[in-house]
Amino acid sequence: MEVVPGVHAVKLRSCTGYLIVEERLTLIDAGLPGSRAPLVRYLNGIGRDVSELDRIICTHGHPDHIGGVRELAAGGAEVLIHPEDLAGVGISLQEVMRERTRGNLLHFLTPHPGEATPIVDGDVIDVLGGLQVVHTPGHTPGSICLWAPRHRLLFTGDVLQVRWGRLTYASAFFSHDYPAARAAVARLAVLEVETIALAHYGLWQRDAHARLQALAAAAS
Ligand SMILES: [Zn+2]
Ligand SMILES: [Zn+2]
């Protein structure tokens, strides 16, 4: 479904991927392994082809966001991810045993995306008139949000979620560092956001900017 002109929400396995349809294709998040079939089906429905997929941007290194990367990038798409999460998913069992945190275990269980290009805070990706990388660590060390100022559209991965009908902070259980995840919302509250594209809860458009400001204030 096209949710914003040129941006389609595609139901992948266990997460919504956001497909940016321009001359070529860019996908934000790749779902669990097995996400190739639903993406191919969707692309066929809009008259496009998976061979046009140039780029997969990963909001973070959890299995429901990067598990499908290898199969989707098999045609040569470039994979972009923050270096902290790329390093994280390469963690060895010995390292997990040495530092037994839930975050390390989650990373250990995540399929490695293979070769990837690091993206860091302040980078601008050449889609949607300039898509800015905002590093928002906490849910994972390398969690990023993606900000398209021209559309006032913010992709947040798992940095935000909806609970009881309200927009709120990342999941405490699944976050590597929950206080940091809460604090990271301050980075988003300064943006003039109109639409938030969430990885598991669709779009949030109700007073988005004011809600982010309230969350940032409550976190500090
Ligand atoms: Zn996550
Ligand atoms: Zn997720």
Side-chain angles (χ1 to χ4, degrees):
M1 183 176 54
E2 190 169 22
V3 290
V4 170
V7 181
H8 297 238
V10 183
K11 288 260 176 251
L12 303 175
R13 285 201 62 213
S14 283
C15 102
T16 298
Y18 289 96
L19 180 70
I20 300 167
V21 178
E22 297 183 342
E23 198 180 321
R24 302 284 295 178
L25 304 172
T26 295
L27 180 67
I28 299 176
D29 283 336
L32 284 174
S35 290
R36 187 179 170 88
L39 182 69
V40 166
R41 223 171 14 244
Y42 187 87
L43 287 171
N44 290 343
I46 61 167
R48 302 295 294 254
D49 191 85
V50 72
S51 64
E52 300 171 80
L53 183 64
D54 266 0
R55 203 186 276 115
I56 302 171
I57 311 171
C58 307
T59 60
H60 64 294
H62 275 164
D64 52 328
H65 296 258
I66 68 168
V69 159
R70 273 180 182 271
E71 61 194 72
L72 290 175
E78 184 182 23
V79 178
L80 295 90
I81 185 168
H82 193 278
E84 294 221 31
D85 276 12
L86 188 63
V89 295
I91 194 169
S92 69
L93 184 59
Q94 287 90 323
E95 287 169 290
V96 176
M97 297 310 280
R98 217 168 20 238
E99 200 192 334
R100 296 183 199 197
T101 62
R102 197 184 294 134
N104 280 347
L105 185 63
L106 266 170
H107 266 161
F108 179 70
L109 296 173
T110 301
H112 196 281
E115 204 177 300
T117 305
I119 42 171
V120 297
D121 192 69
D123 283 354
V124 179
I125 300 160
D126 190 19
V127 288
L128 293 174
L131 185 61
Q132 300 171 9
V133 175
V134 183
H135 187 206
T136 45
H139 179 63
T140 63
S143 278
I144 58 156
C145 294
L146 296 156
W147 168 232
R150 192 179 289 182
H151 303 265
R152 298 180 64 187
L153 169 65
L154 180 70
F155 300 92
T156 54
D158 285 351
V159 170
L160 297 169
Q161 61 171 339
V162 177
R163 296 294 297 272
W164 314 113
R166 288 167 72 87
L167 186 74
T168 188
Y169 310 104
S171 153
F173 185 82
F174 287 109
S175 290
H176 296 222
D177 181 342
Y178 184 60
R182 287 170 57 104
V185 176
R187 298 285 324 269
L188 310 177
V190 298
L191 308 172
E192 294 287 335
V193 178
E194 196 173 87
T195 303
I196 299 171
L198 300 143
H200 300 285
Y201 305 88
L203 295 191
W204 185 276
Q205 292 177 300
R206 189 163 16 109
D207 297 330
H209 181 53
R211 185 74 194 131
L212 289 172
Q213 287 181 314
L215 287 169
S220 65

